[in-house]
Amino acid sequence: MATNKQVILRDYVSGFPKESDFEITTTNFELRLPEGSNSVLVKNLYLSCDPYMRSRMGKPSAFALAQAFTPGKPILGFGVSRVIESGHPDYKQGDLLWGIVGWEEYSVVTPEMHFKIHDTDVPLSYYTGLLGMPGMTAYAGFHEVCSPKKGETVYVSAASGAVGQLVGQFAKMMGCYVVGSAGSTEKVDLLKNKFGFDDAFNYKDEGDLSAALKRCFPKGIDIYFENVGGKMLDAVLLNMNMHGRIAVCGMISQYNLEDQEGVHNLTSIIYKRIRIQGFVVFDFFDKYSKFLEFVIPCIKEEKIAYVEDVAEGLEKGPEALVGLFYGKNVGKQVVVVARE
């Protein structure tokens, strides 16, 4: 037996989530699988804080991306884990994997959308971000959905986050002109001086978002990687070029609103022949090995800069997760459960 610290959702959330929506509990946990089980018992090492998790905190909805969390139970998210015991033929004791786990010290998982970690020459925490779901999201959204060409203009909102920082760098590798927006001077400096964006602006300092985009893109935007929605999407539509592409990855400005904002400049889609495509990373997991072949050499050759915002200890999890929706994180938000 062992004790198992967990992050529990108290009740369904409406509006902006608060730390008080969660509680830390400790239960007794048997470190052994039932006889004949095909599941895997894992020790969780790193947990990923991701904006999409907000959609799982509300009441069940037919339109939600994933099944709602259950009040009174541990919340779920992507994490990096080590196998303690396995009843599954593809995993053995000591293996490392990443995929959906509970926000707790130990979990029992049935491997479905889980990936074995083979390359350990990089920090294991990278598999919560750069080498995990956010990295695949950036890669698939930009390369597969946006169909970029050298010399095109690319705009990325929420650009200093786990996905945005990578989209911008992938675009620069393609020879594109890249501008990002973020919510603080520190993040704007990071975009320009760390991640190599051609330009960046603090959207909170701009009274007219359309004018800000016109200033940054005097010849218009070819590709918009959408992470924000609302007023930002409205402003972008006015500045898109003919046959522009918009990859809709997320809309963090809308997740906490009871009544989501409308978009008013939709006729631009017709006149400019704009293609808008929503996508979910799960649809592209079959390309994960191709993604690793591309990105791991980039990491080792230091062609990619990557910033993590690390919270130490599972008890810091609620604060780290809630902070996403107030822009408190700088870079990829990670919660360390155990460093082995």
Side-chain angles (χ1 to χ4, degrees):
M1 297 293 291
T3 57
N4 190 25
K5 191 180 297 182
Q6 301 175 314
V7 176
I8 302 295
L9 181 70
R10 290 180 183 270
D11 200 354
Y12 294 123
V13 175
S14 62
F16 278 82
K18 307 176 295 296
E19 288 182 53
S20 59
D21 290 322
F22 306 91
E23 64 178 324
I24 308 296
T25 64
T26 301
T27 64
N28 291 322
F29 188 81
E30 187 172 7
L31 292 177
R32 184 173 58 189
L33 290 171
E35 189 72 29
S37 171
N38 67 344
S39 296
V40 178
L41 171 63
V42 299
K43 178 180 181 180
N44 296 319
L45 307 177
Y46 300 93
L47 297 174
S48 176
C49 296
D50 297 298
Y52 85 89
M53 296 170 71
R54 174 61 187 85
S55 68
R56 304 192 68 181
M57 298 176 197
K59 292 181 179 179
S61 167
F63 303 104
L65 176 62
Q67 185 176 356
F69 296 141
T70 302
K73 299 287 186 181
I75 64 173
L76 305 170
F78 285 93
V80 174
S81 312
R82 182 178 293 280
V83 176
I84 296 175
E85 183 183 356
S86 176
H88 195 283
D90 294 339
Y91 294 89
K92 65 181 187 301
Q93 183 180 2
D95 282 348
L96 292 162
L97 58 83
W98 72 268
I100 295 290
V101 294
W103 272 44
E104 54 192 352
E105 292 176 287
Y106 300 97
S107 294
V108 175
V109 299
T110 301
E112 292 175 348
M113 284 187 294
H114 292 77
F115 297 87
K116 192 178 294 187
I117 295 173
H118 299 287
D119 197 314
T120 55
D121 292 339
V122 296
L124 284 179
S125 61
Y126 280 19
Y127 288 92
T128 66
L130 174 53
L131 295 175
M133 182 275 289
M136 261 305 296
T137 300
Y139 176 82
F142 184 65
H143 287 287
E144 300 290 335
V145 177
C146 293
S147 304
K149 303 179 187 67
K150 182 178 180 180
E152 289 191 309
T153 55
V154 177
Y155 172 51
V156 186
S157 57
S160 67
V163 174
Q165 62 174 285
L166 299 175
V167 173
Q169 292 179 81
F170 294 161
K172 288 301 297 178
M173 290 179 191
M174 284 285 299
C176 297
Y177 177 81
V178 185
V179 176
S181 61
S184 72
T185 301
E186 178 187 9
K187 292 178 180 180
V188 168
D189 289 344
L190 199 63
L191 293 176
K192 293 193 285 189
N193 301 320
K194 178 80 171 180
F195 300 137
F197 283 58
D198 294 291
D199 202 355
F201 64 92
N202 181 348
Y203 70 90
K204 294 178 181 177
D205 292 341
E206 303 292 343
D208 185 334
L209 291 174
S210 181
L213 292 170
K214 183 68 174 177
R215 182 181 73 238
C216 294
F217 295 99
K219 295 183 179 180
I221 301 168
D222 295 311
I223 292 172
Y224 173 42
F225 199 95
E226 165 70 299
N227 291 310
V228 171
K231 294 179 177 64
M232 185 64 78
L233 177 57
D234 243 347
V236 167
L237 287 171
L238 293 176
N239 287 274
M240 290 295 292
N241 284 333
M242 291 282 287
H243 302 289
R245 287 89 70 205
I246 299 177
V248 184
C249 173
M251 292 193 174
I252 195 169
S253 73
Q254 305 301 298
Y255 294 158
N256 299 300
L257 303 181
E258 290 296 312
D259 296 311
Q260 296 190 2
E261 296 172 330
V263 179
H264 304 283
N265 297 318
L266 295 176
T267 52
S268 296
I269 300 170
I270 305 167
Y271 305 147
K272 298 180 180 182
R273 288 74 152 176
I274 299 167
R275 174 167 61 84
I276 301 179
Q277 182 177 339
F279 73 99
V280 177
V281 68
F282 307 141
D283 299 337
F284 296 93
F285 273 165
D286 62 321
K287 293 179 168 57
Y288 184 61
S289 59
K290 178 183 175 184
F291 165 65
L292 290 182
E293 289 172 6
F294 163 74
V295 77
I296 286 181
C298 291
I299 296 171
K300 294 181 177 178
E301 294 166 19
E302 298 184 347
K303 293 181 179 178
I304 289 181
Y306 183 61
V307 173
E308 294 180 313
D309 193 329
V310 178
E312 292 281 350
L314 189 60
E315 62 279 0
K316 294 289 186 181
E319 178 185 1
L321 180 57
V322 169
L324 287 181
F325 304 101
Y326 295 89
K328 292 184 178 180
N329 61 301
V330 178
K332 170 60 191 172
Q333 184 68 65
V334 182
V335 176
V336 180
V337 182
R339 294 187 182 271
E340 287 295 309

